[in-house]
Amino acid sequence: FDNFHILKFSGTTKIMKSATHVTALTLTLALQATVSNAFVSQTRPTLSVKSIPRPLVKSLGTCKTYHFISSKTIKTVQNAESVDYPLTGECDPFDPESAEFCTTDPDAIDGSLKRTIRLGVLFTLWYILNIGYNIGNKRVLNALPLPWTAATIELFFGFPYVALLWSTGLRKAPKLSFDDLKTLSSQAFFLAATHVAGVISFGAGAISFTHILKATEPVWSALILAVGFKEFLPLPVYLSLVPIIAGVGLASLKELSFSWLGFTAGTISAVTSATKAILSKKVLDGKPLGENLTPANMFAVLTILGFLFILPASLLIEGPAKVSAAYTASLAAGYTKVQLFRLLSISGFLYYIYNEVAFLALSEVAPVTHAVTNTVKRVVIILASVLVFRNPVSKLGALGSGIAILGATAYSIAKNKCKPKPASPSPE
């Protein structure tokens, strides 16, 4: 069924299947209460319902999708009108740089000059902070070749920042129960895994190559959806994955700084990032989680939980003895204590801040703009890292990198174009 109906009863909102395919159980539920309003909307509900399995896309030849529902129960959602942003299960509201991020409907965008200038400033700041983090992180790893320790410290540095905002009232603090935290634990684990794998890849090779590997996230997302959830994407979306695979393959063959550690870690970072985005849609979307859990606060909570996840592994893999030896070697190489502390602090601060700015900038743009700006970001970071660290790049490697990045852009555009459109509201 492509559409649902929402029936409003006194005090509750019931989400039901299409009227033409309504089940006997749904009819029973409808008869058990007094209907105050008839069918009020034929669009998809703003809350995803856990008892209803996710749709299985049956069509592969066109952008049109077909869904079926095997559930025999309909969940009642209390106070559905109190949700302040749509949780449709169709996108990831918590990772602004993901290809699955919830963007703004082009028809709802305000094209005023004031908004354009503000977004221009935000995007410029986002690029600068992102470049600063990538270069700063690489410098940290050059000085202290301890990727687990560096990643752990970077995740920690978000805590003092948000603690200041929450304690001063500049931002409302989230209120979460223990069950809420358990629900978020898998998401936090994959955020931490994505970050540490990326940092390991940075340390083992060139920044540019790591970002090319991260461009394979759509490939892994499509694979996980197909294998794990039996959800298949339209053919145009699959075709957009071909240049990503071809480009990464060509770039890997001609990457002058290639190492298996860097390749493996970068690939793991892409896989865990894809998993994290899918979990945001499949697990978190539609669940009422505490209070004041805006996307920015969600990122803060996941970062803190991710730090707690990664800390034991960091202490186990790079224990005090190894950290002490690396620290001593850095001092012997000419670094001072102040320099090392400054490098770690700046890297951790920039990691958190650039994500905050990304939320502000990318949540207000249309899908195509989101795809293009992410592409430009990758190109800018790659060029900046090559200029700063003088990493040699072969012509075929550069060609492969360009093909992979353009493929990632094509994927985002194709996926949005093939997204099912909601039906127009039916009269009451």
Side-chain angles (χ1 to χ4, degrees), residues 30 41 75 92 96 133 152 193 203 244 270 288 293 308 317 331 333 344 346 418 426:
S41 175
K75 183 178 180 180
D92 173 13
Y133 164 70
T152 304
I244 299 178
L293 201 61
L308 297 177
I317 296 170
L331 294 178
L344 285 168
I346 292 175
C418 294
S426 59

Side-chain angles (χ1 to χ4, degrees), residues 239-289:
L239 290 178
S240 70
L241 301 177
V242 175
I244 299 178
I245 298 171
V248 171
L250 184 59
S252 300
L253 287 174
K254 296 300 179 180
E255 173 58 38
L256 300 178
S257 63
F258 180 87
S259 73
W260 281 108
L261 177 60
F263 176 83
T264 303
T267 302
I268 291 174
S269 181
V271 173
T272 53
S273 180
T275 305
K276 178 168 62 68
I278 290 172
L279 284 177
S280 290
K281 296 189 293 180
K282 305 296 184 183
V283 178
L284 299 182
D285 246 5
K287 281 193 174 182
L289 293 174

